[in-house]
Amino acid sequence: SSPLMEQLNFFHDHTLLILIMITMLIAYIMFMLFFNKFTNRYLLHGQTIEIIWTILPAVILMFIAFPSLRLLYLMDEINSPLITLKAIGHQWYWSYEYSNFLNLEFDSYMIPTNELDTNGFRLLDVDNRIILPMNNQIRILVTATDVIHSWTVPSLGVKIDATPGRLNQTNFLINQPGLFFGQCSEICGANHSFMPIVIESIPMNYFIKWISSQMNSL
């Protein structure tokens, strides 16, 4: 659901293909070694094959390392964000502040199972969702007030630690409307499993209407 997650998926497939090729080659060589009768009494060393099996793995590692480094740098890049969202981790809920707007902040608690609507998502839905516009760069600042949490939304390729006394930063772009779920990914106490994250991605004109209604209600 974001360009970064697409790239992460491509990198996963690319690496998996290399691993499958290595596994098949080694399996074939081992199979042939077990079942052939070839012997060579005078073979003491083989410079050529040793050079090949030293250089080839190094080349293969480069094919994995360069795309990986590219992705690492892309994940750290901040590209003129339209909106800054601040997420603050507590035991055991999240608080959000829209830094571009005055006094626009709220707490986000998980909806208990006994209060959930029929079409709600058990252990994932919250009372106050994050509302964000699609197709825009979003910067998120993450911190915590008590213990280490981790703000994670897998479908957007975002995972960032919330550390007390420290402000961490990352960015993402959502390329489609919808609901995106995440959870705290750092064990933070008894109710660690019960502090989900929900992002609702909407078109920009609806986002402006939502912001206006929130500002009017203050």
Side-chain angles (χ1 to χ4, degrees):
S1 301
S2 74
L4 193 60
M5 193 60 202
E6 284 178 15
Q7 291 295 314
L8 285 166
N9 274 330
F10 291 147
F11 176 65
H12 170 268
D13 295 344
H14 166 78
T15 311
L16 199 63
L17 193 65
I18 291 171
L19 289 175
I20 289 167
M21 287 165 60
I22 292 169
T23 307
M24 288 177 69
L25 177 65
I26 300 300
Y28 172 75
I29 291 169
M30 288 182 71
F31 182 83
M32 295 305 291
L33 281 171
F34 279 130
F35 294 103
N36 74 52
K37 297 280 195 297
F38 299 142
T39 55
N40 188 336
R41 291 170 57 200
Y42 305 104
L43 181 64
L44 299 175
H45 60 84
Q47 293 289 343
T48 311
I49 191 68
E50 286 179 14
I51 290 168
I52 290 168
W53 73 35
T54 302
I55 291 174
L56 196 63
V59 172
I60 291 169
L61 284 174
M62 285 167 63
F63 273 99
I64 296 172
F66 286 132
S68 175
L69 286 169
R70 173 180 160 272
L71 264 177
L72 279 172
Y73 279 100
L74 273 175
M75 289 166 79
D76 271 347
E77 198 70 41
I78 304 294
N79 302 311
S80 305
L82 179 82
I83 288 171
T84 299
L85 176 72
K86 186 177 180 183
I88 305 162
H90 306 267
Q91 286 181 311
W92 288 274
Y93 65 96
W94 294 97
S95 296
Y96 297 103
E97 300 173 6
Y98 286 77
S99 306
N100 305 81
F101 307 98
L102 199 62
N103 296 327
L104 183 48
E105 53 190 58
F106 53 83
D107 296 334
S108 181
Y109 289 88
M110 186 191 79
I111 301 173
T113 307
N114 59 336
E115 296 175 19
L116 205 60
D117 293 335
T118 313
N119 58 350
F121 295 91
R122 180 178 168 273
L123 300 184
L124 282 177
D125 234 332
V126 294
D127 54 357
N128 291 311
R129 294 170 175 169
I130 309 162
I131 310 294
L132 290 173
M134 58 183 279
N135 292 327
N136 287 284
Q137 283 289 339
I138 312 294
R139 172 171 57 191
I140 179 156
L141 306 173
V142 183
T143 187
T145 56
D146 35 48
V147 297
I148 298 175
H149 300 275
S150 185
W151 198 88
T152 306
V153 183
S155 54
L156 301 178
V158 177
K159 179 172 182 173
I160 182 164
D161 279 356
T163 311
R166 186 182 177 90
L167 207 59
N168 288 329
Q169 168 181 273
T170 189
N171 78 308
F172 56 89
L173 181 146
I174 309 171
N175 57 17
Q176 60 185 11
L179 288 177
F180 305 99
F181 295 96
Q183 289 176 303
C184 176
S185 295
E186 191 73 55
I187 295 174
C188 57
N191 292 330
H192 158 68
S193 307
F194 309 116
M195 48 184 299
I197 299 153
V198 183
I199 296 176
E200 188 172 340
S201 169
I202 56 176
M204 178 53 88
N205 55 333
Y206 290 107
F207 178 74
I208 292 167
K209 288 177 185 174
W210 179 79
I211 286 289
S212 303
S213 67
Q214 293 294 312
M215 298 306 286
N216 291 336
S217 65
L218 292 174

